[in-house]
């Protein structure tokens, strides 16, 4: 897609594509640097294979959950980076979990606008409604609350390192499927917490995802364009409304 093609995309698509590219290449590069000399992961591979595995790890943490390297052999720095990628997840209206790329982008530009004492939150020369920002905050807060509560419960019933427990919990909460080889050895109480987490995640996170997707629909359908004369026109198309209904049902 050329520059003119990118400009013709909706605000939602622009944010999703841009954020996804930053996460893929930024995450892959960081994993490559952090794991370059680790003989338990990519240290013994060729340069090309190191790049392949690094970028695959960056992508799989947000989508498929396939593992090309043992997750328990990752360095602590790489593990923490993977926690962040899993928590963010994929883009809205997809099968990936997490709080979604667009939600993170909205939170980031909102925080930047607050630091700069700006009243309006803008991205790609479009104004993001305050309602969309509030829903992005709600999604992130609810997801973090679920993550904190489930991690605390697993720590109480499982004798394992905190990093392993948090990794398993984030992977389950974001429906990723990666493991540091802890889940098979959980006690009955730990497995009960884990099963409850999956069920809770499907119910509660689905509700928060509805809020997230509604916010994304607002971004996509209600585009407040600031013209040279200072007049804002908010356009609500029938196609966008249909997408809103399909996503939120």
């Amino acid at each position: 897609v050329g520059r003119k093609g990118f400009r013709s995309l909706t605000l939602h698509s622009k944010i999703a594509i841009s954020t996804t590219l930053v996460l893929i290449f930024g995450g892959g590069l960081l994993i490559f640097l952090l794991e370059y000399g680790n003989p338990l992961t990519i240290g013994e591979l060729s340069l090309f294979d190191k790049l392949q595995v690094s970028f695959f790890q960056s992508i799989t943490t947000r989508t498929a959950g396939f593992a090309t390297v043992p997750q328990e052999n990752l360095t602590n720095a790489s593990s923490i980076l993977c926690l962040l990628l899993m928590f963010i997840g994929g883009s809205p209206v997809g099968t990936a979990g997490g709080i979604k790329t667009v939600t993170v982008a909205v939170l980031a530009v909102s925080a930047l606008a607050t630091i700069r004492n700006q009243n309006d939150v803008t991205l790609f020369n479009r104004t993001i409604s305050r309602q969309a920002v509030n829903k992005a905050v709600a999604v992130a807060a609810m997801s973090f609350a679920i993550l904190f509560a489930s991690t605390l419960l697993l720590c109480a019933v499982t004798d394992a390192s905190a990093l392993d427990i948090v990794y398993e919990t984030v992977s389950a909460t974001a429906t990723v499927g990666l493991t540091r080889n802890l889940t098979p050895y959980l006690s009955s109480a730990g497995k009960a917490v884990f099963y409850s987490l999956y069920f809770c995640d499907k119910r509660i996170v689905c509700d928060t995802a509805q809020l997230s997707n509604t916010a994304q629909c607002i971004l996509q359908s209600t585009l407040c364009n600031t013209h040279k004369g200072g007049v804002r026109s908010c356009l609500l198309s029938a196609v966008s409304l249909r997408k809103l209904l399909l996503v939120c049902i």
Side-chain angles (χ1 to χ4, degrees):
V1 180
R3 180 178 298 181
K4 183 177 294 186
F6 184 79
R7 289 178 178 176
S8 65
L9 296 175
T10 62
L11 177 59
H12 173 271
S13 298
K14 290 179 180 178
I15 298 175
I17 292 173
S18 301
T19 308
T20 298
L21 291 176
V22 170
L23 293 174
I24 290 176
F25 289 99
L29 180 60
L30 286 175
I31 292 174
F32 174 78
L33 295 175
L34 295 172
E35 295 294 326
Y36 188 87
N38 186 356
L40 299 178
T41 54
I42 67 174
E44 303 298 329
L45 301 178
S46 64
L47 179 60
F48 180 73
D49 288 340
K50 286 180 180 179
L51 289 172
Q52 275 191 314
V53 174
S54 298
F55 281 99
F56 185 84
Q57 178 69 22
S58 174
I59 296 172
T60 194
T61 51
R62 300 189 307 103
T63 53
F66 298 119
T68 54
V69 294
Q71 300 299 294
E72 63 271 18
N73 292 340
L74 293 172
T75 62
N76 290 340
S78 295
S79 298
I80 293 175
L81 175 61
C82 290
L83 289 177
L84 176 62
L85 293 175
M86 288 190 293
F87 185 74
I88 294 174
S91 294
V93 201
T95 57
I99 63 175
K100 307 301 182 182
T101 55
V102 180
T103 301
V104 172
V106 171
L107 290 175
V109 295
S110 176
L112 188 61
T114 301
I115 293 174
R116 293 177 176 177
N117 292 322
Q118 296 176 344
N119 293 326
D120 293 331
V121 179
T122 60
L123 195 58
F124 294 109
N125 297 321
R126 300 292 178 90
T127 300
I128 300 176
S129 67
R130 181 56 57 182
Q131 183 183 7
V133 175
N134 292 339
K135 288 182 178 180
V137 173
V139 170
M142 179 64 72
S143 298
F144 182 80
I146 296 172
L147 176 62
F148 178 81
S150 56
T151 300
L152 185 63
L153 287 174
L154 276 179
C155 286
V157 300
T158 304
D159 184 17
S161 68
L163 181 58
D164 289 345
I165 293 176
V166 173
Y167 201 93
E168 303 289 314
T169 305
V170 175
S171 178
T173 304
T175 62
V176 176
L178 293 175
T179 177
R180 289 175 64 90
N181 203 29
L182 174 62
T183 303
Y185 303 102
L186 287 174
S187 62
S188 298
K191 291 179 180 179
V193 172
F194 227 62
Y195 297 150
S196 301
L197 173 60
Y198 271 110
F199 179 78
C200 179
D201 174 66
K202 289 299 182 183
R203 297 299 302 171
I204 300 180
V205 175
C206 182
D207 293 337
T208 57
Q210 178 177 333
L211 290 176
S212 178
N213 286 327
T214 303
Q216 318 316 332
C217 290
I218 291 172
L219 290 177
Q220 182 175 356
S221 58
T222 309
L223 304 179
C224 297
N225 302 324
T226 303
H227 300 290
K228 294 182 179 180
V231 180
R232 294 181 178 179
S233 60
C234 295
L235 308 176
L236 180 62
S237 65
V239 175
S240 298
L241 179 59
R242 177 176 175 271
K243 290 181 179 179
L244 173 63
L245 295 175
L246 287 176
V247 169
C248 299
I249 289 177

